Amino acid sequence: MSNLPDFDQLWDFRDPAATELAFKALIPLAESADNESYKGQLFTQIARTLGLQRKFEDAHAVLDAIAQSTLDAHPIVRVRFLLERGRVFNSSRNKPAAKPLFAEAWEFGKIHKLDYFAVDAAHMMGFIFSGSEKVDQKLAWEEKALALAESSPSEKAKKWLGSLYNNIGWSYHEMKAFAKAKSMFEKCLDWQQANEKIAGAKISKWSIAKMDRLLGNTQQALTSQLTLLKADGGQDEYGYTFEEIAECYLVLQQSDQAAQYAKKAWELLSKDPWLCENEPERVKRLKQIGNS
């Protein structure tokens, strides 16, 4: 594949439709090169773009078009096929169909030393166990992924570490193990800074500050959140920093400041479809605080 474009570098997860077009433009090149591994991998990623656009039937059709002989001959195609078939099922809320595919990708990836994809599979298994009653199973898979990523000789596999530290931190948060969560977010911050991931480092700092609030270190949490806000010129693109500042002021019994920031948070977070669908009471509460 050294003479062919690295299509993985063309991914823009914010715009899967544009990524789909970029990938499809490579099909003639893949066919002329007569490289079945490259073509098979490319098709798995086209399927992923379709899944992200919620075109689930189209995504399955693209995966169906990958020849069985290609899957049998090229382990990297098979593991990517398993991952993307699983992701399509997971995105279409068919977790029972996704689960065995991710589990197979995990085992297959380990056997064939495809550590990056094995870690991806374990990471995806974590999403299968959603809900507080399953957080221990979710954490178990995240820790499997972390152990492999940390021990792998593959630098590519180690690129998962930032995401895994973050995800494990939120699993501990869900379990109300806030001190463990903070420790994991601190690891995540160290990794983000070492790898010069500015946006990731900012998220880690926000997460650490939130854990400080939940651990009772409210003034420290408030100072951290206000510092983050100042670094962004007083602007909060999504509203989560405003929300945390409001929560801190509430604890400190400074109701006027709490209302001011809660109103700003509500104006942004009330426009978030996922949050409104999954945590409507959280959005409602911000509105009430902002109007108090």
Side-chain angles (χ1 to χ4, degrees):
M1 290 174 56
S2 59
N3 296 324
L4 293 166
D6 183 356
F7 51 79
D8 286 324
Q9 296 299 315
L10 300 178
W11 258 111
D12 182 354
F13 289 98
R14 297 167 299 180
D15 194 345
T19 307
E20 177 195 354
L21 295 176
F23 287 167
K24 284 183 173 178
L26 296 177
I27 293 175
L29 184 62
E31 290 178 338
S32 64
D34 195 27
N35 188 320
E36 287 301 314
S37 175
Y38 182 89
K39 182 179 175 182
Q41 291 182 67
L42 178 62
F43 274 31
T44 68
Q45 297 311 286
I46 291 172
R48 189 173 185 180
T49 68
L50 292 165
L52 288 170
Q53 296 173 73
R54 307 194 68 78
K55 298 178 180 178
F56 302 126
E57 289 186 9
D58 292 344
H60 281 304
V62 169
L63 292 169
D64 290 342
I66 300 174
Q68 185 62 48
S69 59
T70 301
L71 296 174
D72 293 340
H74 302 284
I76 194 169
V77 179
R78 178 177 287 277
V79 75
R80 298 191 82 161
F81 170 89
L82 291 168
L83 278 165
E84 302 315 330
R85 182 78 87 183
R87 267 193 266 266
V88 175
F89 280 128
N90 187 59
S91 295
S92 58
R93 301 194 176 189
N94 188 348
K95 291 183 185 293
K99 182 179 177 181
L101 292 162
F102 292 144
E104 184 179 349
W106 161 251
E107 295 295 343
F108 188 84
K110 286 194 300 175
I111 289 169
H112 291 275
K113 307 298 182 185
L114 297 167
D115 290 354
Y116 176 84
F117 299 106
V119 172
D120 191 358
H123 159 258
M124 290 306 303
M125 280 293 283
F127 290 110
I128 295 296
F129 299 102
S130 59
S132 58
E133 73 282 359
K134 298 179 181 178
V135 67
D136 56 333
Q137 296 174 72
K138 177 176 180 285
L139 179 61
W141 275 103
E142 290 168 343
E143 289 179 334
K144 284 182 181 182
L146 179 61
L148 179 56
E150 288 183 330
S151 64
S152 176
S154 167
E155 289 302 315
K156 187 176 181 182
K158 292 184 186 301
K159 291 180 179 180
W160 275 108
L161 289 173
S163 296
L164 293 170
Y165 291 140
N166 180 70
N167 291 352
I168 291 172
W170 287 112
S171 291
Y172 279 134
H173 166 264
E174 195 171 351
M175 299 168 77
K176 300 189 185 306
F178 302 132
K180 287 184 177 181
K182 180 182 176 181
S183 177
M184 198 57 63
F185 290 135
E186 288 171 339
K187 274 191 172 186
C188 188
L189 177 59
D190 289 343
W191 187 90
Q192 301 288 356
Q193 291 178 328
N195 289 273
E196 300 181 348
K197 305 288 187 180
I198 297 172
K202 184 170 70 173
I203 292 169
S204 295
K205 289 177 182 178
W206 180 93
S207 303
I208 291 166
K210 183 180 176 74
M211 295 309 106
D212 276 330
R213 175 176 67 80
L214 294 170
L215 287 164
N217 304 321
T218 310
Q219 188 59 59
Q220 182 177 331
L222 177 59
T223 300
S224 298
Q225 297 292 3
L226 288 171
T227 300
L228 287 172
L229 188 62
K230 183 178 179 181
D232 285 335
Q235 301 299 312
D236 181 9
E237 183 178 0
Y238 300 107
Y240 292 103
T241 303
F242 287 150
E243 179 187 27
E244 275 302 305
I245 292 171
E247 294 289 356
C248 289
Y249 277 129
L250 271 180
V251 175
L252 295 171
Q253 298 183 346
Q254 298 181 38
S255 56
D256 289 346
Q257 292 93 327
Q260 175 189 345
Y261 283 98
K263 183 178 181 181
K264 290 181 178 181
W266 177 81
E267 287 172 351
L268 292 166
L269 294 175
S270 62
K271 298 173 184 175
D272 183 330
W274 185 92
L275 196 67
C276 290
E277 180 181 349
N278 291 276
E279 298 189 51
E281 291 303 316
R282 180 175 168 186
V283 178
K284 181 181 178 181
R285 181 169 178 271
L286 284 170
K287 185 177 183 180
Q288 290 172 341
I289 297 168
N291 289 333
S292 61

